[in-house]
Amino acid sequence: WRESSSVLKKNSSSQSLPTAKLETAADTPDGSPAPTKPSMEAAAEPHASDSSASPIGADAPASNPGAAAGARKRKAPAATARKPRKRQAQEPIQIPAYYGHREEFYCVKGDDLVDCSYISPRVKDCAHVIGQLPLQPQSMSLVDLQLWIFKLFWLHPETQDLAIKGFIKQRKTDLFDEFEPDWYMEYCPWDTHYFQTDKCWSAFANKLKRKRNVTQKFMLYAECSEIKHYGILLKAIHDDYSQLTRVVLPGTKCLTTSNFRFLRLVEDLSMTPKEIIAYLAEHYDEQMSPPEAWRARQKALEQEFGTFYDSHNFAPRLLKDITCKTPWGFVDIKDAEVAGCSNFRVLHRIFWAFGQCVQAFNHCRPVLCIKGTPLCGKYQEVLLTAVALDANGYSIPVACAVVEGETKESWMWFLGNLEQAVRHPSDVCIIHDYKRELIDAIEDFLSSDQRQWQKVESRWCMEHLAKDFFAYFGDKNLVLMFKKLCQQRRLNKFVKIWKELDELTTKYTVEREGGTSGEMQQELVQHDEADLVAQSPCNRPDSVGSEEEGDHANENEGKVTKFSDWIRLKPMEKWSLVHDTKGARYGIMGADISNIYKNDPVLKGITCLPLSAIVEVTFLRLVEHFKNTSATANEAIGNPSMNFPERVLDDMNSKMHKSKMHRVICLDTKTRNVFQGKQFRNFTVQSRQKNEVVHLKSESISKFGESTIQESATCSCNKPQLLHRPCTHVIAVCCQIGVSTATYMSPYYSLAYLGRIWSGNFDEYKISRGYRSITPFECNTTTWIPDKRLECGLPVFVTSDCLETVADESEQQCNTGNGSTEDNQGVTTRTEEPNEI
């Protein structure tokens, strides 16, 4: 009896364990047991169910001692016969993603996102979008979650300031309660999960599984610079907008979770991806690929200056603050109001000119070089710049603008603002690139009756035209010869180089096309000076008009076989220095500003910055640049041994040494014109085997009741007329008659003008970082947002010298005969040159 009772106790205890575990798992928070379904083991044992339904006496187990043993033997086959549990049909999880709360990300709580009007009547602080997670969200990585958020909110493909966290609350229900208020669940606290790693997201996703007798509520909260205005962006997006499919996400953990600021990547904007990789590997022990290194640069810039999205709101505020403190400053903004949101505007274009630079241009040579280059950020925008040069050749960014693309309309808008912001006492000459849209805009600008500048000349940049020449002929030696032709100052040498170019380009064309007969080649090479007379400026059109002025000639007039065919529709005064009317260029051919965004101390590397950072960095660089250059100019003014600026002095010294080999062989007596108040003196200067004629003229000019004498010099070598400073022959005459060479030098090359150029004071107007402290959705405060149609997914990686990459790709396209680009709403692509003539 004792043995059988002990066996019964062991058997009964072993059968009660699964039931106890099930009850414990289903207990409600108040401690009352919840009803559970019978286990499959109990259903397969009729003896166990009978004994549980009827009372059992103290000696009942002893009367049937084999029951326990029999039940023990039948337990194994019952387990093997257990039917598999049917899988429940999985359904996608619908989860709300909240956005746009006005508090800091880490301060936002779960109760701040939902409507709590049952407790205290109020309006929801936060809007949300319902998204559908995959069937198994726990298998998603953190990068997959970011991709999901990108598609849900139509975010920019290169967004890096995205932060996500999750809220979840759970309550186990009691099936015995027939009625439970709906608001009872709301009193359960929210559990907050910050998603910093894949493990953090998996821990949250695992709780989203369907559980028996458990009520759940869960939601996400996402924040980045673009999401906070998601509702406004939907109203600003046109129907033709389509989200970019290319999404580039970080490939290493350091780009998603690290807090490194990478200050060196911000300080040195000229670092290439290879240099970035080497620097991060040495100082941070981070191994990266070139795309990851570029994204590290972008993230460092956004941490330092704000995101590319927010910069469109920061830049107008910063510029308005600067112009309020600086006299002669100018800002113009072209935007469009968002329908239904009076305080939000889409920023299309912005133009600015710092007052110090505007005043400095009044004492520079009256030449403005305008350039355009695409920005390397997250929006397909173009930076336009008007640059002036001082006597030493140092550049001054007079005005800048950011527009949607290099279109005729945007260039006209830029030129109109440039005319309003900038003044000069002399006639202004504009040197620009050889592009169809820009040339058309210049022609319309020059023919306008409402122009404020009295007279404006237009010239082409030699370097940009040389690239167009190379795209067709493809020989670097020919390009060097073409540049020599453009800079030639003597007409006889100009004709000689032209003839030589015709011969070489004809030979190159013949070799490229597989060769021709000797007679045909000889016929193509024949060229005399009469052709040059036919192509003089007086016999050629002044503008491109409706002609096709590309790398190929008009099909009706034959194929391009030599240089004359390629250049025939291009007016000589636009590209040739010897044909420059009245020396409007002042000798500036464009080589000084061809690589201005790579070498200039102010504009170097700014194309990769956000919009507000472009303004801030250029302003701070100008502060330093004006300070250093002004100190150098003042030192030169105080030096009695220096009569001209440094570079002008070096040029004059070399000319002075060369003028000693000249001989003035003819000295005319003074001849006066009493009626016109003019005095002429003519000299003949022998130089080697040539004789040059020098004319000196003195003229009395009355202005504002005061009479001044203006001295001028011309020479048959044409250099004083083109460069506005004396040549070696004029210097020889000055030494002969005892006159200072500075008398026949333009005042723009003097030390006095150099000192006035750099006298602008930037130090008093330091930039305050307060322009970034903007509370969103403030009343009566304008908020600017970018145009989402200008979004662009970055290529595999973009370097700081992306213009070289662009040029190389365009060069390959030109060699294959496909150099044009498709115009997409006036926006040029990042990997191709804008549409050129």
Side-chain angles (χ1 to χ4, degrees), residues 1 4 37 191 240 252 647 671 714:
W1 179 79
S4 60
K37 295 182 180 180
D191 292 335
D240 58 351
T252 57
R647 293 189 182 182
T671 59
T714 59

Side-chain angles (χ1 to χ4, degrees), residues 744-818:
Y744 303 102
M745 176 94 61
S746 172
Y748 299 117
Y749 297 104
S750 64
L751 282 174
Y753 273 53
L754 182 67
R756 296 172 190 172
I757 289 174
W758 302 105
S759 61
N761 187 3
F762 277 89
D763 294 338
E764 297 179 1
Y765 313 107
K766 295 292 185 180
I767 290 181
S768 173
R769 298 298 178 90
Y771 72 92
R772 302 181 192 172
S773 304
I774 302 172
T775 304
F777 306 101
E778 282 185 347
C779 296
N780 301 324
T781 301
T782 302
T783 300
W784 286 274
I785 59 177
D787 190 350
K788 282 187 72 68
R789 292 180 298 176
L790 298 180
E791 286 183 351
C792 60
L794 293 178
V796 179
F797 69 97
V798 182
T799 64
S800 59
D801 53 347
C802 63
L803 297 181
E804 292 182 354
T805 306
V806 170
D808 294 340
E809 293 181 358
S810 300
E811 180 180 312
Q812 295 176 1
Q813 293 175 359
C814 292
N815 293 335
T816 58
N818 183 20

Side-chain angles (χ1 to χ4, degrees), residues 82-371:
R82 183 182 302 171
K83 294 181 180 180
R85 193 172 182 178
K86 291 185 179 181
R87 280 190 174 183
Q88 296 182 357
Q90 294 186 0
E91 297 180 359
I93 298 177
Q94 302 289 336
I95 185 169
Y98 288 80
Y99 68 93
H101 201 275
R102 304 183 189 183
E103 295 184 4
E104 295 292 336
F105 176 77
Y106 292 100
C107 297
V108 175
K109 301 178 181 179
D111 292 333
D112 298 332
L113 307 179
V114 296
D115 187 5
C116 299
S117 58
Y118 57 88
I119 298 178
S120 59
R122 64 174 183 175
V123 182
K124 284 186 179 180
D125 292 335
C126 205
H128 69 277
V129 176
I130 300 296
Q132 181 174 297
L133 288 175
L135 297 178
Q136 296 181 347
Q138 62 274 9
S139 62
M140 297 172 61
S141 64
L142 185 56
V143 172
D144 295 332
L145 179 64
Q146 292 175 348
L147 278 168
W148 185 80
I149 292 291
F150 280 10
K151 295 177 181 179
L152 183 64
F153 287 98
W154 293 7
L155 294 184
H156 189 281
E158 291 292 326
T159 300
Q160 297 191 99
D161 64 328
L162 178 63
I164 313 171
K165 65 180 179 180
F167 298 95
I168 189 171
K169 61 169 58 178
Q170 297 180 353
R171 180 179 179 275
K172 297 179 181 179
T173 59
D174 189 354
L175 296 183
F176 287 114
D177 295 341
E178 297 180 357
F179 172 77
E180 182 179 282
D182 296 336
W183 49 264
Y184 191 81
M185 181 67 179
E186 302 300 332
Y187 285 103
C188 296
W190 291 97
D191 292 335
T192 306
H193 296 258
Y194 293 94
F195 304 143
Q196 301 291 343
T197 61
D198 290 337
K199 186 176 180 181
C200 298
W201 160 248
S202 299
F204 177 82
N206 287 330
K207 296 183 179 181
L208 303 184
K209 297 179 180 178
R210 295 182 179 274
K211 298 181 180 180
R212 189 177 303 170
N213 303 333
V214 175
T215 303
Q216 288 183 330
K217 279 192 175 183
F218 39 79
M219 56 188 178
L220 298 176
Y221 178 71
E223 183 180 87
C224 72
S225 58
E226 190 172 348
I227 285 183
K228 62 186 177 183
H229 298 150
Y230 174 70
I232 308 299
L233 290 173
L234 289 181
K235 298 179 181 180
I237 294 175
H238 297 273
D239 297 335
D240 58 351
Y241 171 77
S242 59
Q243 187 184 11
L244 296 174
T245 57
R246 179 188 297 184
V247 177
V248 182
L249 285 175
T252 57
K253 294 181 180 180
C254 67
L255 294 182
T256 56
T257 61
S258 70
N259 293 322
F260 295 135
R261 296 187 62 85
F262 299 141
L263 292 179
R264 174 67 187 281
L265 307 186
V266 178
E267 295 172 354
D268 188 0
L269 298 177
S270 62
M271 293 181 68
T272 62
K274 292 183 179 179
E275 295 172 346
I276 294 175
I277 293 172
Y279 173 77
L280 296 180
E282 179 182 356
H283 295 84
Y284 295 96
D285 196 22
E286 297 287 352
Q287 302 296 329
M288 296 184 181
S289 62
E292 295 163 358
W294 174 254
R295 287 187 59 84
R297 155 74 64 76
Q298 299 295 89
K299 186 173 183 179
L301 292 176
E302 290 188 351
Q303 289 179 345
E304 180 68 18
F305 300 107
T307 65
F308 284 85
Y309 178 87
D310 281 336
S311 67
H312 288 74
N313 190 25
F314 295 157
R317 299 172 183 274
L318 175 60
L319 286 171
K320 288 184 176 181
D321 181 62
I322 293 176
T323 53
C324 288
K325 301 176 181 178
T326 308
W328 303 100
F330 185 85
V331 175
D332 185 35
I333 299 174
K334 182 179 180 181
D335 52 17
E337 184 177 339
V338 180
C341 305
S342 58
N343 293 335
F344 284 83
R345 308 188 69 87
V346 179
L347 183 64
H348 293 305
R349 301 170 186 166
I350 184 169
F351 175 97
W352 70 91
F354 296 132
Q356 295 87 341
C357 298
V358 171
Q359 290 179 320
F361 177 63
N362 291 329
H363 307 286
C364 294
R365 287 169 285 179
V367 179
L368 282 176
C369 305
I370 60 176
K371 300 286 290 183

